[in-house]
Amino acid sequence: MHKIVLITGATSGFGEATARQFAAAGHRLIITGRRKERLEALKQDLKTDVLPLVFDVQDKDAVFAAIASLPAEWKDIDILVNNAGLALGRDHFNEANLDDWETMLDTNVKGLLYVSKAVVPLMIARQNGHIINLGSIAGKEVYEKGNVYCASKYAVDAISKSIRIDLLQHRIKVTVIHPGAADTEFSKVRFKGDMDQAQKIYEGYTPLRAEDVADTIFYCANLPAHVCINEVNMTCLAQANSFYYNRSGNA
Ligand code: NDP
Ligand code: 8X3
């Protein structure tokens, strides 16, 4: 049966790959992000019913207005993929930029909360739904210079566990996916366009691709109604955890 899937941060990386994966299976998609032109281009590319919604997840009023504005035929959201997020900077605590911290917390934590709070009533009304959150290996183990990005992803982990409990009686599944290093626009954003620094992150090994994460999201979303994968920790072959990488070139 075809479902309605709302994906935040569909203009790039995991979100875009997830949109392509669900579209290929014929599902109906609400794709969101701030870059309107990318959403329009993606809509043109996808051979399914697509509704682009442009909003910044940090803007509480814009989030609630966007969900409230959904036409009746788009309100029955079956799956919410809370993917929009970012890291900004990689600095020791004492040197890090306060504005970067605010943006990470406002996007990765508060943005995810706003979108979930706006969508959950629609799921409760139907006693059906699946929320899939993008955490990170950074939300399982802190690493040097990861401070507030790690904290934001620890929060995603805690929020996922907590929502799963609170929505238990409403038959809503909650899954959190914790990927390790993946080659998307993530590092370009983190290092503010410094491509030398961004590319160094992936030197000497094959990182996860956006499609690997999209495949995992798709798998979790397509299990029998009584099955919920609560949490997935996934890395490329060359990464053991937040600290240990095999950069020898053989993985
Ligand atoms: P990308 O930079 O490729 O994509 C990030 C997406 O988030 C974009 O579509 C962007 O859209 C959207 N986004 C960012 N800020 C906002 C905002 N304020 N409002 C709305 N949308 C926003 O990164 P990834 O695909 O790699 O990252 C996706 C998620 O996965 C993030 O939560 C990230 O923390 C997490 N993650 C990434 C890993 C990696 O190594 N790549 C590993 C583990 C987790 P736009 O700019 O158009 O608004
Ligand atoms: C992104 C992965 O290791 O850069 O969440 O924090 S890492």
Side-chain angles (χ1 to χ4, degrees):
M1 199 187 70
H2 291 158
K3 295 179 174 170
I4 297 182
V5 186
L6 189 159
I7 302 165
T8 67
T11 57
S12 144
F14 302 162
E16 180 184 338
T18 301
R20 291 186 185 281
Q21 176 84 275
F22 278 94
H27 297 293
R28 299 174 65 209
L29 301 184
I30 304 169
I31 52 173
T32 85
R34 291 165 301 179
R35 286 171 289 180
K36 185 175 182 213
E37 64 295 346
R38 286 209 186 187
L39 291 176
E40 292 298 340
L42 182 59
K43 176 181 160 73
Q44 293 309 317
D45 236 24
L46 300 179
K47 311 264 175 293
T48 190
D49 213 3
V50 176
L51 178 70
L53 280 184
V54 181
F55 61 85
D56 183 332
V57 298
Q58 299 173 90
D59 182 341
K60 181 167 50 178
D61 293 341
V63 170
F64 282 90
I67 302 304
S69 78
L70 285 174
E73 66 273 21
W74 284 100
K75 279 197 191 295
D76 290 350
I77 297 168
D78 297 289
I79 301 168
L80 165 63
V81 183
N82 272 317
N83 163 76
L86 79 175
L88 282 175
R90 192 158 171 164
D91 306 292
H92 282 128
F93 182 87
N94 50 308
E95 287 162 352
N97 180 304
L98 270 176
D99 290 338
D100 288 350
W101 286 358
E102 307 266 14
T103 305
M104 287 190 279
L105 293 170
D106 287 351
T107 308
N108 301 354
V109 184
K110 290 165 73 179
L112 179 145
L113 287 171
Y114 298 153
V115 176
S116 304
K117 191 80 164 76
V119 170
V120 157
L122 302 174
M123 292 181 166
I124 289 180
R126 298 169 59 230
Q127 293 287 290
N128 178 54
H130 192 170
I131 300 170
I132 302 179
N133 293 331
L134 263 295
S136 168
I137 195 165
K140 307 304 291 181
E141 286 167 318
V142 294
Y143 54 82
E144 187 179 11
K145 301 181 179 178
N147 45 67
V148 171
Y149 177 66
C150 294
S152 76
K153 291 301 184 177
Y154 268 78
V156 171
D157 195 36
I159 291 164
S160 303
K161 287 177 176 143
S162 160
I163 296 182
R164 189 178 306 114
I165 297 167
D166 290 351
L167 299 184
L168 196 55
Q169 78 241 42
H170 298 295
R171 306 183 68 254
I172 295 172
K173 298 184 187 183
V174 181
T175 299
V176 58
I177 315 271
H178 296 293
D183 191 3
T184 61
E185 293 181 11
F186 177 83
S187 292
K188 179 181 168 201
V189 171
R190 180 172 221 171
F191 296 111
K192 302 172 182 174
D194 181 337
M195 291 311 290
D196 284 345
Q197 253 190 307
Q199 275 154 10
K200 275 202 181 73
I201 296 291
Y202 310 113
E203 257 171 30
Y205 68 98
T206 306
L208 291 174
R209 300 166 306 144
E211 292 75 16
D212 302 323
V213 175
D215 284 348
T216 305
I217 293 170
F218 190 76
Y219 175 78
C220 292
N222 281 287
L223 290 164
H226 68 287
V227 180
C228 179
I229 294 200
N230 294 340
E231 177 171 330
V232 175
N233 298 327
M234 61 185 293
T235 61
C236 62
L237 172 64
Q239 184 175 12
N241 59 23
S242 280
F243 317 105
Y244 293 99
Y245 288 81
N246 171 359
R247 291 182 186 269
S248 68
N250 75 353

